[in-house]
Structure formats: C-alpha cells, structure tokens
Amino acid sequence: MPYVEAGRLDRRIKIQFGNETRDAAGDVIDSTWSDVFKLWARRVVRSQGMERPTMAGVLREFDVRFDVRDSPKSQAIAPETHRVLYKG
C-alpha cells in the first residue's frame, strides 16, 4: 500500500470485533459487535455505485476503501472477525 500522508487522513473510523454466542450444538444464537479502537483514515470511493431492485425496495451498493497508516493496530484487523464502522 502506498504511503498515506497524515494530513490526508480526514475520516474517523471505528473498528469493531464480532462476538458470537453458541449453544451446545455449536449453532450461533447471538451475534454482537464490540468497539475495539478508532483510527484516522482516508475514504476512497472506487465506483459510483449500483442500484438493484429488491422486495423491500432499492438496494444501493458502493465500493469504498479506507486507507489507514500502518501500525500494530491496523495490522491486527482481519476481515473474518472485524468490521469498519463509519458514520454509524
């Protein structure tokens, strides 16, 4: 990843960790997210988005990337267990 200047990191993102509660059979019965830390990031919109009609209305999809500075915190983020929360 290219070097990102600190002045270009103008968005505050929250990194959350997924917690799952399982029953005796191993099935997930509850899934919650807990805040781990916050980072400064740069938001990069990679496409203008797409709209698809669904039964509940229109689903809008955008391809967005957040660039962050390399640190031990950012290296610990795993897409299988973490998510990015931006503006709620």
Side-chain angles (χ1 to χ4, degrees):
M1 180 170 64
Y3 178 75
V4 180
E5 295 175 7
R8 299 190 66 175
L9 303 175
D10 59 351
R11 314 287 178 163
R12 195 69 165 158
I13 60 173
K14 190 181 298 183
I15 306 300
Q16 294 186 323
F17 182 77
N19 300 308
E20 294 180 341
T21 305
R22 297 181 179 267
D23 62 9
D27 297 325
V28 177
I29 56 174
D30 187 31
S31 180
T32 59
W33 293 93
S34 58
D35 297 344
V36 182
F37 52 84
K38 294 179 181 179
L39 293 172
W40 286 101
R42 176 177 66 168
R43 181 175 170 243
V44 179
V45 178
R46 296 169 59 178
S47 71
Q48 292 303 315
M50 182 176 83
E51 292 185 353
R52 287 188 293 150
T54 64
M55 296 288 284
V58 176
L59 176 66
R60 292 177 180 87
E61 295 179 354
F62 293 93
D63 190 13
V64 177
R65 180 185 80 216
F66 288 97
D67 292 339
V68 297
R69 297 197 76 177
D70 190 26
S71 69
K73 284 184 178 182
S74 65
Q75 290 179 359
I77 301 170
E80 300 84 19
T81 56
H82 294 83
R83 74 175 180 181
V84 173
L85 193 62
Y86 173 66
K87 287 189 174 181

